[in-house]
Amino acid sequence: MYKDFEGKTEAEALERARADLRLGDNDDVYVEVLEQTKKSLFKKSFVKIRVYYGETSGDEMSDNDENNAIPGQVLEPENDNERKIVSFLETLISKMGYEGKVTINFRKDSKLGLDIDSPSSSILIGRKGKNLDAIQLLVNVYAGNLDEDLKIVIDSENYRMRHEELIVRNAYKAAEYVKKSGRSKLLEPMNPFERRLVHTALNEVDGVDTKSEGEGLYKQVRIIPVKKRG
């Protein structure tokens, strides 16, 4: 479950959320910053957040390589390339105007997982992880100049794993709607990995089929009612 709140600052918006939802300081929530405007001569500061709570607070990924990560695991850089990549990402975050500590949380084959620990993690993640994806793209371009076979996966606050789980959960819910109503349902635009998650998750679900529609990178998955297999 989630609900949107507004305020002059993220803290004010979150305070309103806790009051409205009757949440205590120890209640588990996940906050996503949807909009943010800094104060200027003609504008007041403004923040709009989405607060996930209850069952979905920890159930919000665009790359399943995070399944190789162990929560809280910190690995030391093994070589100069890894040290340079960690340093590059920390410098990039600083140039963006934020504080952030970067650590290595998994290493498998030619993949290297980096985790960002920052008080501004919700902003660095961005709406639906788009800021995190953009940062990951920049780091991969840099890493490619050091080692063309190396792939960098960047995460913060386990966002990618939570997001993957949410996509699959919503796909199952949508499939149930299609089966009961007999009407197809078009999901929101997704990147190739996210669409693959949906196709794979629903491949063995009787009574529905899936297909991608649209042009470009972000296409939509349509869930279609079909006769049960067998």
Side-chain angles (χ1 to χ4, degrees):
M1 295 178 287
Y2 66 82
K3 191 172 182 180
D4 297 345
F5 295 90
E6 299 176 357
K8 293 181 181 179
T9 65
E10 184 177 345
E12 180 179 295
L14 183 56
E15 184 178 350
R16 290 180 179 177
R18 291 193 178 279
D20 182 85
L21 301 173
R22 298 181 181 180
L23 299 172
D25 291 336
N26 295 324
D27 286 325
D28 187 23
V29 297
Y30 176 75
V31 179
E32 178 183 2
V33 177
L34 302 178
E35 297 179 42
Q36 186 170 38
T37 303
K38 293 185 178 180
K39 185 177 181 180
S40 66
L41 182 61
F42 302 103
K43 292 182 179 180
K44 295 181 179 180
S45 61
F46 167 81
V47 176
K48 182 176 181 180
I49 64 173
R50 174 163 294 172
V51 177
Y52 297 85
Y53 61 99
E55 288 186 1
T56 59
S57 61
D59 294 324
E60 270 255 353
M61 186 170 161
S62 63
D63 198 315
N64 65 353
D65 293 321
E66 276 66 24
N67 292 333
N68 299 314
I70 299 175
Q73 175 175 258
V74 176
L75 304 176
E76 293 297 324
E78 286 188 338
N79 51 55
D80 286 341
N81 283 351
E82 291 186 357
R83 281 186 282 272
K84 289 178 180 178
I85 292 168
V86 168
S87 177
F88 175 83
L89 179 52
E90 288 185 336
T91 301
L92 176 61
I93 295 170
S94 177
K95 293 291 185 181
M96 292 171 66
Y98 303 107
E99 297 179 4
K101 173 67 176 176
V102 177
T103 55
I104 298 173
N105 62 3
F106 79 84
R107 183 187 293 111
K108 183 178 181 181
D109 301 326
S110 59
K111 300 183 182 70
L112 185 70
L114 303 181
D115 184 73
I116 301 173
D117 182 12
S118 169
S120 304
S121 59
S122 57
I123 298 175
L124 294 174
I125 292 170
R127 185 178 183 184
K128 297 183 179 179
K130 289 188 175 181
N131 290 351
L132 197 63
D133 287 343
I135 292 171
Q136 181 172 281
L137 177 62
L138 289 174
V139 176
N140 270 288
V141 171
Y142 174 80
N145 291 324
L146 301 174
D147 182 349
E148 61 181 13
D149 295 324
L150 186 61
K151 179 184 179 183
I152 308 300
V153 181
I154 298 175
D155 199 7
S156 183
E157 294 190 348
N158 282 331
Y159 167 79
R160 295 195 182 280
M161 185 174 294
R162 295 197 305 271
H163 184 56
E164 177 183 343
E165 292 173 353
L166 182 62
I167 287 174
V168 173
R169 177 175 293 186
N170 287 341
Y172 283 133
K173 289 181 179 179
E176 287 301 314
Y177 165 82
V178 170
K179 289 166 65 175
K180 291 178 180 179
S181 67
R183 300 164 61 182
S184 68
K185 183 175 179 63
L186 195 62
L187 304 182
E188 64 181 15
M190 302 180 189
N191 64 39
F193 175 78
E194 293 169 337
R195 295 197 304 274
R196 191 160 59 249
L197 279 177
V198 175
H199 292 310
T200 302
L202 301 185
N203 185 52
E204 299 301 322
V205 176
D206 284 333
V208 299
D209 199 359
T210 60
K211 67 175 183 177
S212 294
E213 297 183 358
E215 302 293 335
L217 180 64
Y218 285 85
K219 299 178 183 178
Q220 293 176 273
V221 175
R222 182 178 294 278
I223 304 176
I224 309 162
V226 296
K227 292 182 179 180
K228 292 185 177 181
R229 298 180 177 91

